[in-house]
Amino acid sequence: MLKLFVGDNTQELADYANLRFNSVLITSSNYKQLIKQSKTQDIVGHTSFSDLGKITKTESPFYTLLSAADSIEYYPPEKWSDHNDTYQLHSMQRVTEYYLYHINILNKNVIGLTLDQWTNQPNYLKLVDTRKSHNQNLWISGCSISHGVGVDPDQRYGQLLADGLQLPVSWLTLPGTSIEWAADQILRSDIMSGDIIVWGLTSEYRACEWKDGRIKHINTHSFEASETGSLAIVSAENRLFKALLAINQVENFCNKIGAQLIAFPIISTESLRLHLSNNKSYFETNYQTGYYDYGSDGIHPGSLQHQKWYNFLRQYI
């Protein structure tokens, strides 16, 4: 029988194992011999991923050892010896817990393993609003303009639509957000057949990334603060490609579930508008050189412009 204690390559793991049994350190030089001996005698050992050496194209000593174990107790440290950033390309915690996860699926013999750190990531997948009714629901999606920056909440085109249609409304909107972000919010929300989704399309020259524990929204003015530090993330054709991909995914989703999608341009470029001209869920607005009025911040559109959008949208619902 082979019993393993698995964790970091520190004295703490050795002490923990030896408090319970007479445990031997298992390394790349003795693991094969100890696996063989465990067929005829009881072996208790402690080890870590770094103790077993590198993975090659033909062999993974750590996985081989775990596979041979009859029981495994996982004893992770509070702080790992390599670093505490599990999202580094090379992370002992990440690799260790992946192997243990895989072994436990096969053999169901690992205790002490919890994957909460990996599965409970609400900040990654956070939805900014939820469904408001079991009956028909209106959804508004977009950036700061759809969010209503510069006007009172009841002056937003989305709220005007909700009032006019007498429907509860959910807001999948945040300032500075991209088309990709909006598409993700729509696709993962609890949208049902019969719902109405009104999507004010922002500029395709925006993106999002995860940085410093939060979603970072990037535009052409802030690309230098992005992880890449280059214009690649907001380059013209790449952004157009990403926007068209996202919009068509949402349109397909809405068609499949029987929800009505109305996408219209707010600050989209001429290129995006032309590419969407044949999409059945896309509705081109009247040409304007500027907003009809401006809101309280002097930048975003005012209540008259929101009323104009409401009048435009209402004819399609």
Side-chain angles (χ1 to χ4, degrees), residues 121-315:
Q121 289 287 356
N123 290 329
Y124 279 177
L125 304 174
K126 184 178 180 180
L127 293 171
V128 294
D129 206 354
T130 57
R131 184 178 194 87
K132 298 298 190 296
S133 171
H134 294 298
N135 299 316
Q136 188 179 33
N137 203 96
L138 174 66
W139 302 79
I140 305 297
S141 185
C143 63
S144 57
I145 296 175
S146 297
H147 196 64
V149 173
V151 296
D152 294 337
D154 61 355
Q155 295 175 323
R156 298 175 288 180
Y157 74 81
Q159 190 60 55
L160 296 174
L161 283 170
D163 294 342
L165 296 167
Q166 296 185 319
L167 288 176
V169 59
S170 302
W171 300 87
L172 305 179
T173 60
L174 274 183
T177 51
S178 62
I179 288 174
E180 294 158 89
W181 178 88
D184 172 68
Q185 291 283 310
I186 294 169
L187 292 171
R188 291 191 297 108
S189 291
D190 186 20
I191 297 174
M192 300 181 181
S193 176
D195 284 356
I196 301 168
I197 304 97
V198 177
W199 188 2
L201 297 174
T202 186
S203 168
E204 62 267 38
Y205 290 98
R206 292 182 177 185
C208 60
E209 67 179 10
W210 186 261
K211 190 174 184 180
D212 300 327
R214 65 183 181 90
I215 295 176
K216 175 76 174 179
H217 298 290
I218 306 164
N219 58 36
T220 51
H221 304 292
S222 62
F223 74 91
E224 290 181 351
S226 77
E227 185 176 322
T228 58
S230 74
L231 274 172
I233 198 167
V234 288
S235 63
E237 192 170 3
N238 184 51
R239 296 314 313 154
L240 178 63
F241 163 71
K242 294 279 191 177
L244 289 171
L245 208 64
I247 294 166
N248 280 278
Q249 286 172 342
V250 169
E251 185 175 67
N252 181 68
F253 167 75
C254 291
N255 288 337
K256 294 291 186 182
I257 67 169
Q260 182 184 9
L261 172 66
I262 297 174
F264 74 105
I266 288 185
I267 51 175
S268 308
T269 67
E270 294 87 349
S271 294
L272 182 60
R273 296 176 186 221
L274 290 170
H275 277 280
L276 292 173
S277 59
N278 279 336
N279 285 55
K280 293 182 179 180
S281 299
Y282 174 77
F283 299 87
E284 178 67 18
T285 54
N286 296 329
Y287 177 75
Q288 294 178 218
T289 56
Y291 300 133
Y292 283 96
D293 67 336
Y294 288 86
S296 58
D297 62 355
I299 300 173
H300 289 83
S303 59
L304 178 58
Q305 179 64 71
H306 279 266
Q307 181 68 50
K308 293 287 187 180
W309 279 324
Y310 164 73
N311 293 338
F312 168 77
L313 294 165
R314 192 65 180 86
Q315 63 185 315

